[in-house]
Amino acid sequence: MEDLGARIRQAASNAVDARGLSQRSGLSTGFLSQVERGQSTLSIVSLSAICRALDLRIETLFSSDRPLSERPLS
């Protein structure tokens, strides 16, 4: 599975630029950039704010088309 930061980056690129996501979510552009690059972790509160800003359900970021048996463990 792609990492969470990459999935957020992909979802955001279809909807809003970095400044817009920052304004909508209330999170700094620097923090969002770190998350997208995998250099910072998200709290559930921050993840929820990002998903609200993108009008996206949280579980969408964790879903995969592949069955569990075909997914890597890490």
Side-chain angles (χ1 to χ4, degrees):
M1 181 169 99
E2 292 177 59
D3 69 357
L4 186 57
R7 286 180 176 241
I8 290 170
R9 180 178 39 246
Q10 182 179 23
S13 71
N14 297 328
V16 65
D17 64 8
R19 181 175 288 155
L21 180 56
S22 174
Q23 290 172 342
R24 288 181 180 185
S25 68
L27 303 169
S28 73
T29 55
F31 175 71
L32 291 169
S33 176
Q34 288 178 342
V35 168
E36 289 177 355
R37 291 179 287 145
Q39 297 178 335
S40 186
T41 58
L42 281 169
S43 68
I44 191 67
V45 172
S46 296
L47 180 58
S48 178
I50 291 169
C51 287
R52 277 194 312 273
L54 296 174
D55 194 28
L56 187 69
R57 294 171 56 112
I58 289 176
E59 57 269 20
T60 303
L61 295 173
F62 296 97
S63 67
S64 175
D65 294 335
R66 295 187 303 177
L68 287 173
S69 61
E70 295 179 12
R71 296 183 200 171
L73 295 177
S74 56

